[in-house]
Amino acid sequence: MAAITGQQFLDRLRKNPPTLYIDGERISDPTTHPSTRNMCQSLAGLYDLQHQPELKDALTYEDGGERHAISFMVPRSKDDLRRIGEAHRIRANYSLGFLGRAPDYMNANVMAAGLGAEYFGQCDASRPGSGNRDFAANMRRYYEHVRDNDLCLTHALTNPQVNRAKQASEMPDPYIALGVVEETEEGVIVRGARMMATLPIADEILVFPSTVLKENADKSRYAMGFGIPTNTPGLSFQCREPIDVGRDPEDHPLASRFDEQDAFVIFDDVLIPWERVFLLYDVELANKAYSGTDAVLHMAYQVVNLKIAKTEAFLGTAQSIVDAIGSGQFQHVQSKVAEIIVMLEIMKGLEAAAREGAQPNQYGVMTPARGPLDAARNYYPANHARLPELLQLLGASGIIMMPSKADREGPLGEQIAKYLQAGRATAEERLKLFRLAWDMSMSSFAGRQTLYERYFFGDPVRMHSALYEVFDKQPYVERIHAFLERENRHEAVAADD
């Protein structure tokens, strides 16, 4: 099938709908249900982009006579990375960067894991050459399966937030956290739950470890990796309350299109076929799965490009507000817009540094440099909240006093057109713009985005700690020591000489 169209994606969802629950109801067809149909249509539009004649070469590549989404392409050169990065930004621009888990994010994951499949072959539970229990072969085949069918994946990383002071095995039920119950001839049976699956409106779910497992034993029931369809028997997604409440896109321009949903995932004795198992019981391999395959770096590269697109959207909206109400001559206004420009250029610089510093990894994959990506992964979550705040400061009360589209077309339409016009925009133009600013900065959609960005890469404290541990600080320490010990007769002499 290779690169699919939007209609093919919708048809596939109708045929094999994920097991979603929203507001106490099982969603039998996500393409028609009021809480999910708009997101399905947006995803369909995202898939249709790769078939637009002017974008075909930018978003797809040819391999074996088939065209695949370029996010599956194995980068062998820096130019390949450049092409992949440009494709990430094109896709991100479709949602103004507000679709946090677009399919290309997980595509980067399975590409890196598939090329680094040897990593999973180290697992003691693997049976190399055995067919369906050869974990390296399983991972390699899974990458090809997802690529060749252009599947949409979600993933679930963390255990339920029950008691952070205790290990998973110390919970009231040892299967609150997802764990292996038993092995069978067909595969492994797992039970428990995982948080948090963003974009559960997907074809399959990939379960990998994210946070470090704290079990003491080398063999742990909680260490696992696998991928299965989202309608697998015993698998359920309990979604949060929808943010898309059925309003006109002019009133809720982002929430009505890009409520990607979040869910916790329940595994009620789910059978994972051996051919879909990639890792089992090995705590050390589980804890290093993303770094050991360099998947974390290719995923981070997608995210950095996504955040560039999102920051550009904030800049464009901020300047549009300034242009509309004629406030650009004030220095405090210029200063606020300049803050966004600085953040944008920092992110663009980090992307360029990661790409230009790329090196082939042990699997022959051209891999972005870790240092700039680690900097971006720590910088953006710490500073993103300033972006919606700046829109609030620039728009002020204008982001509150916003009659709806129905109001503009109602009995007071003429008065609204008169009193809510802007110096350089009609009332309709101004209200559409300010509605977007509101959905970016103040709505429930915006609130979820702000928290999401804060923890997108993980706990910020742990992220800083991880950066401290991996960054090579010694050359700079040695430079300081050398300076302190240096003697140079041409430098300043002591005051008493």
Side-chain angles (χ1 to χ4, degrees):
M1 184 178 293
I4 62 170
T5 65
Q7 189 59 53
Q8 288 172 314
F9 171 73
L10 294 174
D11 291 343
R12 198 160 62 194
L13 275 182
R14 291 190 190 99
K15 183 178 180 181
N16 299 298
T19 310
L20 304 177
Y21 288 84
I22 299 177
D23 286 335
E25 175 189 0
R26 166 75 185 273
I27 309 302
S28 59
D29 183 357
T31 68
T32 59
H33 192 277
S35 296
T36 53
R37 63 189 177 197
N38 290 337
M39 186 64 235
C40 290
Q41 290 296 325
S42 293
L43 285 169
L46 194 59
Y47 280 106
D48 279 337
L49 287 182
Q50 59 194 10
H51 292 277
Q52 292 184 9
E54 69 275 17
L55 295 177
K56 180 179 178 181
D57 290 336
L59 296 181
T60 64
Y61 73 104
E62 188 169 344
D63 182 34
E66 297 276 6
R67 295 204 71 90
H68 303 282
I70 205 168
S71 48
F72 290 115
M73 186 174 77
V74 180
R76 301 295 187 185
S77 66
K78 293 180 183 179
D79 188 62
D80 286 344
L81 278 179
R82 177 193 58 77
R83 289 183 61 197
I84 291 169
E86 288 178 355
H88 286 325
R89 290 194 297 277
I90 291 171
R91 292 179 183 275
N93 286 336
Y94 173 78
S95 65
L96 297 185
F98 281 85
L99 189 55
R101 283 288 188 265
D104 55 341
Y105 177 75
M106 293 301 295
N107 294 355
N109 184 352
V110 295
M111 179 281 295
L115 270 290
E118 298 171 20
Y119 179 87
F120 303 96
Q122 303 173 72
C123 188
D124 288 340
S126 178
R127 303 288 183 267
S130 65
N132 63 3
R133 195 163 173 170
D134 184 335
F135 294 169
N138 290 353
M139 188 72 254
R140 196 174 295 112
R141 284 193 298 264
Y142 189 69
Y143 159 59
E144 294 168 353
H145 170 67
V146 175
R147 178 199 64 191
D148 294 347
N149 292 280
D150 206 2
L151 297 181
C152 178
L153 301 187
T154 185
H155 67 160
L157 297 174
T158 59
N159 294 330
Q161 197 180 53
V162 176
N163 188 337
R164 295 301 196 203
K166 293 185 179 295
Q167 296 182 15
S169 58
E170 298 172 329
M171 296 295 174
D173 183 330
Y175 289 103
I176 288 177
L178 180 64
V180 176
V181 178
E182 63 176 322
E183 297 183 18
T184 70
E185 291 186 7
E186 293 78 21
V188 294
I189 295 175
V190 299
R191 181 189 304 160
R194 276 286 181 97
M195 296 172 64
M196 177 180 64
T198 298
L199 194 68
I201 309 167
D203 297 304
E204 299 213 359
I205 179 170
L206 181 65
V207 172
F208 263 28
S210 175
T211 55
V212 174
L213 292 170
K214 299 177 182 178
E215 298 303 304
N216 295 322
D218 291 334
K219 181 176 179 179
S220 170
R221 77 182 80 173
Y222 305 109
M224 68 191 77
F226 60 84
I228 54 174
T230 51
N231 65 346
T232 298
L235 178 65
S236 302
F237 295 84
Q238 177 57 63
C239 300
R240 58 160 168 76
E241 180 180 344
I243 294 173
D244 179 3
V245 292
R247 295 299 297 270
D248 190 285
E250 286 191 20
D251 293 334
H252 292 205
L254 296 175
S256 67
R257 294 179 172 99
F258 305 115
D259 181 11
E260 55 194 338
Q261 261 298 345
D262 306 287
F264 77 87
V265 193
I266 302 168
F267 297 81
D268 187 6
D269 287 359
V270 175
L271 173 64
I272 314 299
W274 281 119
E275 62 268 21
R276 290 302 194 92
V277 177
F278 315 129
L279 188 150
L280 204 60
Y281 304 133
D282 193 312
V283 173
E284 183 177 0
L285 286 178
N287 286 338
K288 298 178 180 179
Y290 282 105
S291 60
T293 59
D294 285 329
V296 65
L297 300 181
H298 291 278
M299 296 163 76
Y301 187 62
Q302 185 271 349
V303 173
V304 169
N305 282 285
L306 171 68
K307 302 315 174 192
I308 288 171
K310 189 173 189 178
T311 308
E312 289 174 339
F314 272 101
L315 176 58
T317 304
Q319 188 59 45
S320 295
I321 290 173
V322 171
D323 291 343
I325 63 177
S327 58
Q329 74 273 24
F330 299 111
Q331 285 189 325
H332 71 91
V333 170
Q334 297 170 359
S335 176
K336 291 176 177 62
V337 176
E339 282 190 54
I340 306 176
I341 296 172
V342 170
M343 185 180 294
L344 173 61
E345 290 301 319
I346 287 173
M347 293 299 292
K348 288 165 64 177
L350 292 171
E351 184 276 331
R355 174 168 34 85
E356 290 303 315
Q359 295 288 336
N361 67 6
Q362 61 182 310
Y363 308 112
V365 180
M366 184 62 69
T367 301
R370 176 163 189 160
L373 294 178
D374 278 346
R377 294 198 301 155
N378 282 273
Y379 170 77
Y380 200 82
N383 291 276
H384 168 269
R386 181 61 172 162
L387 294 173
E389 181 184 21
L390 288 167
L391 287 191
Q392 294 171 15
L393 294 172
L394 291 168
S397 62
I399 304 183
I400 297 176
M401 192 59 260
M402 300 181 303
S404 68
K405 179 182 179 181
D407 289 322
R408 296 201 315 270
E409 297 173 350
L412 296 182
E414 290 186 10
Q415 288 89 333
I416 290 172
K418 176 181 178 180
Y419 295 117
L420 293 184
Q421 62 182 300
R424 300 175 184 174
T426 65
E428 180 178 354
E429 294 168 339
R430 177 184 175 278
L431 289 171
K432 285 182 179 180
L433 171 62
F434 276 67
R435 278 282 181 178
L436 175 60
W438 169 80
D439 226 2
M440 294 171 76
S441 66
M442 291 180 60
S443 67
S444 56
F445 180 89
R448 181 261 182 194
Q449 286 278 326
T450 298
L451 185 62
Y452 186 78
E453 293 290 1
R454 195 182 304 276
Y455 291 100
F456 187 96
F457 292 108
D459 180 352
V461 175
R462 290 187 181 183
M463 290 292 298
H464 278 116
S465 180
L467 177 58
Y468 178 85
E469 292 294 336
V470 302
F471 193 86
D472 184 6
K473 303 171 285 295
Q474 195 57 33
Y476 312 106
V477 172
E478 292 174 357
R479 183 187 303 172
I480 294 303
H481 288 175
F483 176 82
L484 293 175
E485 296 170 3
R486 186 174 70 200
E487 293 183 6
N488 192 328
R489 62 186 180 84
H490 296 295
E491 293 184 358
V493 296
D496 57 354
D497 285 347

